[in-house]
Amino acid sequence: AAHAALGQAAALVRRAVQPKIDPLEVSETEVKNYYQANPLLRTSHIILLAKPGMSASEMNDLKERAKKINENVKNSKKSFEELAREYSEGPSAKTGGDVDWGARQKLLPEYYEAALALKNTGDVSGVVETPFGYHIIKLTGRKPYSEVDPIYKDFIIRTLREAKGQNIYNAYFEDLKKKSKVSVNESLLN
């Protein structure tokens, strides 16, 4: 019975909110602005992998090794690609560290943010920690908006529509809370 009541409540909410969501438009400017803040980046990296169960001291040794490699990258006559083949522990070592084009939602947040912070193609990061280990990242491309695949633009439009729709749902529930006496039992949420 509780399940049925929940289903009916969800249907009522949808009926009240969906007509406001259906006509939502996403402009080309909004898509472009989203893309400027979240561009597709092409990167290469050298990764030193963190193994499960490594101690703090082993992780520290791994980080120190990554720092030495990073110094080597900055001062070596060898190319980043050669050094990636030599030092990287990931599958991309075979391709000179190339990990192809990556979107924000496909890459680890720490990795994407570090790559995004690199201003120019060819710039190399410091040592970047992720749950997989320590990376040294080289920015090899930043795709201009004009070259973005229409499928990816559609993904951005869906993302922006969902965000706008979520805002409408949130406003609807805030309005309900104001009109009703609602109390939240925090202890049940944990």
Side-chain angles (χ1 to χ4, degrees), residues 99-112:
V99 288
D100 211 344
W101 291 100
R104 178 182 288 279
Q105 63 280 3
K106 295 276 192 233
L107 295 170
L108 293 164
E110 308 89 336
Y111 186 100
Y112 185 86

Side-chain angles (χ1 to χ4, degrees), residues 11 16 30 41 48 53 60 67 70 96 103 115 121 127 135 145 164 171 178 188 190:
E30 287 173 295
L41 302 174
L48 299 184
N60 200 42
K67 285 180 182 174
N70 198 9
T121 299
V127 174
H135 308 251
Y145 181 73
K164 286 181 176 189
K178 284 179 194 150
L188 294 175
N190 300 332

Side-chain angles (χ1 to χ4, degrees), residues 72-190:
N72 197 359
V73 167
K74 290 187 166 118
N75 301 316
S76 177
K77 301 250 184 287
K78 290 182 179 179
S79 70
F80 187 91
E81 291 67 30
E82 287 176 272
L83 294 168
R85 283 190 184 91
E86 198 174 317
Y87 293 117
S88 191
E89 298 174 347
S92 66
K94 291 190 283 295
T95 61
D98 182 36
V99 288
D100 211 344
W101 291 100
R104 178 182 288 279
Q105 63 280 3
K106 295 276 192 233
L107 295 170
L108 293 164
E110 308 89 336
Y111 186 100
Y112 185 86
E113 287 301 331
L116 187 61
L118 297 170
K119 295 285 174 248
N120 304 303
T121 299
D123 286 356
V124 176
S125 73
V127 174
V128 177
E129 184 177 357
T130 73
F132 290 109
Y134 295 99
H135 308 251
I136 299 160
I137 304 165
K138 178 181 180 182
L139 181 66
T140 58
R142 189 182 299 258
K143 191 170 282 201
Y145 181 73
S146 58
E147 291 175 20
V148 174
D149 189 297
I151 292 168
Y152 191 64
K153 285 182 183 173
D154 287 345
F155 166 79
I156 294 173
I157 290 167
R158 280 198 315 277
T159 301
L160 292 171
R161 281 192 80 212
E162 279 172 24
K164 286 181 176 189
Q166 191 59 53
N167 289 341
I168 290 173
Y169 269 102
N170 293 347
Y172 176 79
F173 284 112
E174 282 307 310
D175 193 44
L176 276 185
K177 271 192 214 170
K178 284 179 194 150
K179 292 177 183 169
S180 317
K181 189 173 187 315
V182 175
S183 62
V184 176
N185 186 340
E186 298 291 337
S187 66
L188 294 175
L189 296 175
N190 300 332

Side-chain angles (χ1 to χ4, degrees), residues 38-57:
N38 306 279
L40 291 170
L41 302 174
R42 187 165 195 151
T43 56
S44 292
H45 73 153
I46 295 170
I47 182 170
L48 299 184
L49 293 168
K51 318 268 185 308
M54 271 183 144
S55 69
S57 139

